[in-house]
Amino acid sequence: MVIQLKHPPNLLSKRTISTKHGQSSDIRPFSVLGSTLDYLMSLMNSAAEPFETVHDFIFDRTRSIRQDLSMQNIVDKRVIHMYEKMVNFHVISHHKLRLRSSGPDSFNISSLHHLNMEQLAKVLTSLYNLYDLNRDHNSVVHKNEPEYRSLYVLLCLNSESLPEGERLSLWFRRVPSPVIKSKEMSFARRILRYFRMGNYSRFFSTIAAEASYLQYCALEPYIDKVRALAVLCINNGGYKLHPYPMAHLSNLLMMEESEVESFCNACGLETSLDEQGNKVLPTKQPAFNHPKAGYGEYGFSGLENICRTL
């Protein structure tokens, strides 16, 4: 990867030192680690290389930063901010790698996505431990803790835990009460409930109204799954003589109308025009099937408002 470095090369060198055999001269001081991390985060939106290349470059170096912090046993509040930045990297990568998973390098990107999720689980676990270690006797919640705690719930919608993570039912028991009562965790718990109940209308409207950008990135892989559920319910539950207007479906699924038609086709369903020339989805079609992974890239019409939280 060709990237113009703004810091001396030794700040960004790829590191393979083990914790057991590392020498004190090999370990970078905290100030250098902080500068290196800030530089790496500035590369996230680089257009000079494909994102998977940028991700690989940052991935190795953030892992070595965590190793150096661990070897020096630095666990104070300064490290919390560094780990939050590293969580940002992995969560946004979770979103961006998925968007590139339908290309010619889909196999390699799928592998990167798996490794990214493994590291995200580890970084989140370390961050939560840091929150607990730095909590004072008044049990004050750290500024960003509710949002970063909520990410664990949102990443576990379709399972009980992240890779190498704790089961969600047990995890909730250890979350501080102020975090449980926070608006960020309230949002995550409602999204979890709507997802598991199949309440697609509330699922989409709540994301559009309340999600932060990080929360959206964690949720984005589930959005098309819930859209497929919505189309299935409408197709099976509708009246054959009353096709479902595509404009209504567009509003429900938070998609552009042209994308809704493509999505319905990916589900094996045909669309048509009514007598007024409006696009509709005939219901009771027998050919519904769940779209295959990587079948398309569809937007979310509430994303503009979500991005304003950045």
Side-chain angles (χ1 to χ4, degrees):
M1 178 177 183
V2 180
I3 294 180
Q4 183 65 41
L5 301 182
K6 298 180 181 178
H7 294 278
N10 66 307
L11 295 186
L12 295 167
S13 59
K14 189 170 182 179
R15 301 172 63 81
T16 57
I17 305 166
S18 70
T19 302
K20 183 177 179 180
H21 298 102
Q23 302 295 320
S24 60
S25 60
D26 296 323
I27 302 173
R28 295 163 292 180
F30 182 84
S31 60
V32 174
L33 295 174
S35 298
T36 302
L37 181 61
D38 288 342
Y39 173 67
L40 292 172
M41 295 301 99
S42 74
L43 300 177
M44 278 290 289
N45 295 318
S46 172
E49 298 284 347
F51 180 73
E52 56 268 28
T53 305
V54 176
H55 173 271
D56 190 50
F57 183 85
I58 299 173
F59 182 96
D60 288 332
R61 288 154 181 83
T62 53
R63 188 164 53 177
S64 75
I65 288 173
R66 300 203 313 273
Q67 184 181 60
D68 281 9
L69 290 170
S70 176
M71 292 173 71
Q72 298 175 75
N73 195 31
I74 304 175
V75 294
D76 57 27
K77 291 183 179 181
R78 298 174 302 167
V79 182
I80 288 178
H81 298 301
M82 293 184 69
Y83 269 81
E84 287 175 345
K85 290 177 183 179
M86 287 185 274
V87 169
N88 292 354
F89 161 65
H90 287 293
V91 171
I92 294 172
S93 294
H94 179 63
H95 164 64
K96 289 190 173 185
L97 287 172
R98 181 186 175 278
L99 294 181
R100 298 186 60 83
S101 63
S102 58
D105 295 326
S106 58
F107 178 80
N108 291 334
I109 293 176
S110 177
S111 177
L112 286 177
H113 192 275
H114 176 75
L115 292 173
N116 183 71
M117 285 298 294
E118 284 188 339
Q119 290 303 308
L120 174 55
K122 292 178 179 179
V123 178
L124 279 174
T125 298
S126 296
L127 176 60
Y128 299 155
N129 289 336
L130 286 167
Y131 285 144
D132 292 337
L133 285 171
N134 286 277
R135 205 177 311 284
D136 60 29
H137 64 281
N138 294 320
S139 298
V140 174
V141 172
H142 298 278
K143 179 182 177 181
N144 299 319
E145 185 174 357
E147 180 178 17
Y148 285 89
R149 292 271 189 185
S150 76
L151 295 176
Y152 192 89
V153 180
L154 300 177
L155 290 164
C156 293
L157 294 189
N158 206 30
S159 63
E160 282 299 317
S161 65
L162 287 173
E164 302 183 26
E166 188 175 25
R167 287 180 62 85
L168 195 56
S169 56
L170 298 175
W171 182 84
F172 270 122
R173 299 178 187 178
R174 300 195 301 104
V175 177
S177 177
V179 173
I180 291 291
K181 296 175 181 177
S182 68
K183 65 182 181 63
E184 293 86 354
M185 188 60 77
S186 173
F187 164 80
R189 295 177 76 183
R190 280 182 285 126
I191 288 295
L192 176 65
R193 183 166 67 252
Y194 298 150
F195 180 84
R196 294 189 174 179
M197 290 175 59
N199 190 337
Y200 47 83
S201 178
R202 288 287 185 88
F203 182 84
F204 295 128
S205 62
T206 303
I207 292 174
E210 301 181 34
S212 69
Y213 182 66
L214 277 182
Q215 289 172 328
Y216 172 81
C217 288
L219 283 167
E220 196 265 349
Y222 298 106
I223 288 175
D224 284 345
K225 293 180 181 180
V226 178
R227 284 171 170 163
L229 172 66
V231 171
L232 172 63
C233 292
I234 290 169
N235 180 61
N236 290 350
Y239 293 98
K240 197 168 186 177
L241 298 178
H242 298 283
Y244 199 88
M246 296 290 281
H248 292 179
L249 193 55
S250 172
N251 291 332
L252 176 65
L253 303 183
M254 307 291 289
M255 302 173 74
E256 296 295 329
E257 193 169 327
S258 59
E259 290 186 325
V260 175
E261 184 173 11
S262 171
F263 186 80
C264 289
N265 295 155
C267 292
L269 304 180
E270 298 179 356
T271 60
S272 61
L273 300 175
D274 63 12
E275 294 177 355
Q276 288 74 41
N278 299 313
K279 291 183 179 180
V280 294
L281 174 68
T283 55
K284 301 297 185 184
Q285 296 186 51
F288 178 88
N289 56 71
H290 287 277
K292 296 179 181 179
Y295 53 85
E297 298 176 7
Y298 301 104
F300 188 78
S301 56
L303 186 56
E304 182 178 343
N305 289 332
I306 292 171
C307 287
R308 289 175 184 169
T309 65
L310 288 172

